[in-house]
Amino acid sequence: METYADPSQQPTMSVKQAVATLEECQPDQLGTLSAVVDINELVRVLDPPSDRESVAFRYCGYSVEITSDRRIRVEP
């Protein structure tokens, strides 16, 4: 699945919404992202100009990558 981080939301919520869509649940039913990724890194990759092009991590059994162009990829 591929989607984009909503610029009006925190990146954590955009990631949780993408995974929740695949899990067919509400984002608040998922675990905390800070347990698996540095939240500051998520914010930094989306904050131009960024020195990082992407951040990748595992979350709820999925491989998640968020890129500097706000793309979120979620794969099993």
Side-chain angles (χ1 to χ4, degrees):
M1 167 194 197
E2 190 169 289
T3 188
Y4 286 88
D6 182 340
S8 68
Q9 290 183 334
Q10 293 293 322
T12 54
M13 185 48 114
S14 292
V15 169
K16 289 184 86 162
Q17 284 183 329
V19 173
T21 297
L22 293 172
E23 287 290 297
E24 298 179 351
C25 69
Q26 295 299 312
D28 62 356
Q29 293 177 288
L30 301 173
T32 179
L33 274 173
S34 62
V36 297
V37 67
D38 181 344
I39 301 305
N40 292 327
E41 289 297 314
L42 277 183
V43 172
R44 190 172 298 125
V45 79
L46 296 176
D47 190 20
S50 176
D51 59 343
R52 295 201 57 177
E53 291 187 24
S54 68
V55 174
F57 53 95
R58 298 278 305 163
Y59 179 60
C60 296
Y62 294 92
S63 293
V64 179
E65 181 182 28
I66 188 165
T67 61
S68 60
D69 65 354
R70 306 195 76 78
R71 187 174 329 176
I72 300 172
R73 289 187 195 102
V74 183
E75 298 178 359

